[in-house]
Amino acid sequence: MDIPALRDLLRPIVGDFKDHCTNTFIPERCIELGLPVPDDVGSKRDRWHAAFDALEDIDVPRFAQGLVDRRHLIPQVRNDVQDILWGDTPVVVIPKRHRREVARALQSLVLFHHWESFAQLLKDVFVIYETVNWTSLTSEPTGVLGEIFRHFVRNEEDANVEWLFDYLTAFDLSDNRFSVFLKGLTSADVQIDIEHQMSIVAAMNVPLKACGVEMRHTDEHEGYPVFSLVALHTARARPKNLIFASSIKPDIRFRDAVNNDVEIVSNANDCLFYDRPIGVEGLRWKDLQQWWADISMEKDKQAAKKTLYQRLLSCLPKSSPPQRLLFTSFYSAFGKEIPDLPALIPEVWLHWDPKTVAQRGVHALLNHRMDFLLLLPGGARIVIEVDGIQHYADDTYRADTRRYARLAAGDRELKLAGYEVYRFGGIELQSPESSVMVEQFFKALFSRHHIRVN
């Protein structure tokens, strides 16, 4: 992310905050906005600039997003700021042809069911400056919104979605901004009820699937589904339970089978159970760390980070130095960027069966546990396996074609379920250059998924 460019954009805005508060209230406003409190010296503009300049680079994106959320920025500056913030987010590409087909697919539907929410969506996505007609005796909007209001509210028979997309220049938006626009159109605020949400999603998905993406139910808010654009190759279901860091098969039971409430009966040290919602951002290290701090009641963030790392490292087999090297190399490679990167989660249970393979027979689930899992933004799921000799040889160290066949079958099953599978030969992770190779692999992986790292 281009932090210097973000600072250059925001510094004049922050300086102009001088017009909205007295010297006395500057500390209070700084705390509210997440800025350091400046010394009581200089002009009001100087004090605001001092507060902003003291903000650590790592905190600038959060501060910028806060200004966007509070609608403190004029439309063009807001869009410029968002374009920088979105530089690190995965891009879902929708070509202009398919955007036009989306507009045509929506023509048969009522585009929105709440004008005020729809108008706010347009103001949040496009560069629209409101105008006020003081001579008008009605409360109807004017300018750009007024033109849209006349076509879609006052004269509904004139509503033309393709004209609207053209009028708003939606066909020329960046991919990220167009995704935000479509997500807003499917929101409960704009569509009012779930039936209308589902109808507009179904209409959108016909042309969207032709370019390899779809609007998918990825979250919940206030009892309503939240839809986001995701690539079709990703797993369709949202992650619900994550059982990991387990060195032995956990003892599991359903406390409430109707609600799918899982309980780990075995010793808590045997495995970890993450059951918080995992949205389109994936599961980042900072999410995992906050969960760990909460369940361990550790208030010190640094202590929580260290104890979580040690807990995860401890579950890796001591008999497999390659696995441990991959894990330690990942977390040492990216330094301060780790909190915002996907967590590398070890020893994750994929299949779980209360019966043994001997009891289940030919229908037994194989490849129960993944060496490592990453849940990336946009729903991508990455499986990383470290293959020792036991994966392809028998107990006498001779090639075992049946073991290899089971390995290949498990890979096919994972890929068809929407997982990406990457395998390392154990020997790859036993040389002096192994840590560098691991770092290069993850940089390439993140680049493929549009996750920016230095």
Side-chain angles (χ1 to χ4, degrees):
M1 186 179 298
D2 194 343
I3 299 298
L6 202 52
R7 283 191 179 275
D8 289 343
L9 268 175
L10 294 177
R11 198 170 190 274
I13 306 298
V14 174
D16 287 341
F17 286 169
K18 70 178 181 63
D19 298 327
H20 304 288
C21 71
T22 64
N23 260 313
T24 304
F25 287 100
I26 287 179
E28 182 179 324
R29 289 287 288 140
C30 283
I31 293 172
E32 179 185 334
L33 294 171
L35 289 173
V37 175
D39 294 333
D40 189 8
V41 294
S43 67
K44 287 195 293 181
R45 185 186 297 275
D46 290 341
R47 294 183 69 196
W48 276 110
H49 279 160
F52 181 65
D53 293 343
L55 190 66
E56 297 284 345
D57 280 354
I58 196 172
D59 294 321
V60 172
R62 172 194 51 76
F63 171 72
Q65 187 61 55
L67 296 184
V68 172
D69 294 342
R70 293 180 175 89
R71 300 192 174 102
H72 285 339
L73 306 175
I74 62 173
Q76 186 58 63
V77 173
R78 176 206 65 211
N79 281 19
D80 291 342
V81 167
Q82 287 177 319
D83 288 341
I84 295 174
L85 293 175
W86 292 340
D88 289 344
T89 60
V91 178
V92 179
V93 178
I94 305 176
K96 184 177 291 189
R97 170 193 150 198
H98 295 89
R99 297 184 187 195
R100 194 169 292 279
E101 290 175 357
V102 167
R104 291 170 180 169
L106 297 178
Q107 181 60 38
S108 61
L109 302 175
V110 176
L111 188 62
F112 56 88
H113 292 81
H114 191 273
W115 163 254
E116 287 76 15
S117 295
F118 179 67
Q120 187 61 60
L121 168 65
L122 300 185
K123 289 186 289 184
D124 286 343
V125 172
F126 300 93
V127 177
I128 297 176
Y129 292 92
E130 291 187 86
T131 57
V132 179
N133 184 357
W134 297 106
T135 63
S136 175
L137 299 178
T138 72
S139 59
E140 289 187 8
T142 57
V144 171
L145 293 179
E147 187 70 14
I148 296 169
F149 184 88
R150 284 191 291 276
H151 281 78
F152 283 82
V153 179
R154 189 168 2 123
N155 304 304
E156 294 181 39
E157 66 279 5
D158 293 338
N160 185 307
V161 180
E162 191 172 357
W163 167 86
L164 175 70
F165 277 44
D166 260 321
Y167 185 60
L168 292 169
T169 68
F171 297 126
D172 299 316
L173 290 178
S174 68
D175 289 303
N176 276 324
R177 193 167 298 281
F178 189 72
S179 296
V180 171
F181 178 45
L182 292 191
K183 181 176 181 177
L185 282 176
T186 68
S187 70
D189 289 338
V190 171
Q191 296 302 330
I192 297 299
D193 61 40
I194 294 176
E195 180 182 354
H196 295 144
Q197 287 182 277
M198 300 304 293
S199 295
I200 202 166
V201 167
M204 282 182 182
N205 274 341
V206 174
L208 288 176
K209 287 181 178 179
C211 62
V213 300
E214 69 176 356
M215 293 298 295
R216 188 179 296 173
H217 182 180
T218 57
D219 210 342
E220 303 277 343
H221 180 68
E222 299 284 346
Y224 290 94
V226 174
F227 297 91
S228 303
L229 271 172
V230 297
L232 285 173
H233 68 265
T234 58
R236 293 192 60 84
R238 289 177 292 146
K240 299 180 182 68
N241 303 312
L242 198 60
I243 301 171
F244 63 106
S246 170
S247 56
I248 62 173
K249 183 177 180 179
D251 186 6
I252 297 173
R253 68 183 178 191
F254 285 99
R255 178 173 289 278
D256 185 335
V258 176
N259 291 327
N260 195 35
D261 290 340
V262 178
E263 181 182 15
I264 308 296
V265 184
S266 53
N267 191 297
N269 291 328
D270 291 341
C271 67
L272 299 177
F273 181 50
Y274 187 92
D275 59 354
R276 293 185 177 179
I278 299 173
V280 291
E281 300 86 3
L283 182 58
R284 299 161 295 189
W285 174 258
K286 63 183 179 184
D287 303 321
L288 201 62
Q289 182 182 326
Q290 184 59 58
W291 163 81
W292 175 256
D294 291 343
I295 67 165
S296 64
M297 294 182 288
E298 176 57 72
K299 295 182 180 180
D300 186 298
K301 290 185 178 181
Q302 289 302 312
K305 179 176 69 174
K306 291 178 181 178
T307 56
L308 173 60
Y309 178 84
Q310 291 299 326
R311 172 63 183 84
L312 299 182
L313 180 62
S314 70
C315 78
L316 296 173
K318 290 183 172 57
S319 60
S320 179
Q323 271 183 266
R324 298 173 74 85
L325 183 139
L326 189 145
F327 181 81
T328 56
S329 297
F330 172 81
Y331 280 105
S332 64
F334 299 104
K336 292 182 179 180
E337 296 176 284
I338 282 292
D340 292 311
L341 291 178
L344 180 64
I345 312 165
E347 300 295 312
V348 181
W349 282 85
L350 172 65
H351 301 313
W352 189 91
D353 192 330
K355 293 188 177 182
T356 65
V357 172
Q359 291 172 313
R360 185 66 70 190
V362 295
H363 300 292
L365 293 169
L366 303 176
N367 301 309
H368 297 79
R369 193 167 54 191
M370 299 175 281
D371 287 346
F372 299 101
L373 175 69
L374 297 103
L375 300 177
L376 273 56
R381 301 180 184 183
I382 309 298
V383 175
I384 298 175
E385 295 288 340
V386 179
D387 295 338
I389 194 171
Q390 73 276 9
H391 288 82
Y392 49 84
D394 61 21
D395 295 340
T396 64
Y397 301 108
R398 293 183 178 181
D400 188 331
T401 55
R402 288 181 177 161
R403 287 194 184 190
Y404 178 76
R406 289 198 296 269
L407 190 73
D411 273 11
R412 291 196 301 272
E413 180 182 327
L414 281 170
K415 290 173 182 176
L416 290 172
Y419 293 80
E420 289 183 31
V421 183
Y422 296 91
R423 289 189 173 276
F424 286 85
I427 194 67
E428 292 183 90
L429 301 171
Q430 298 184 56
S431 73
E433 298 80 25
S434 295
S435 293
V436 175
M437 183 264 291
V438 168
E439 179 178 357
Q440 291 173 342
F441 163 75
F442 280 109
K443 284 184 175 179
L445 177 68
F446 291 151
S447 176
R448 167 179 163 79
H449 287 273
H450 307 285
I451 298 172
R452 186 174 298 178
V453 293
N454 293 327

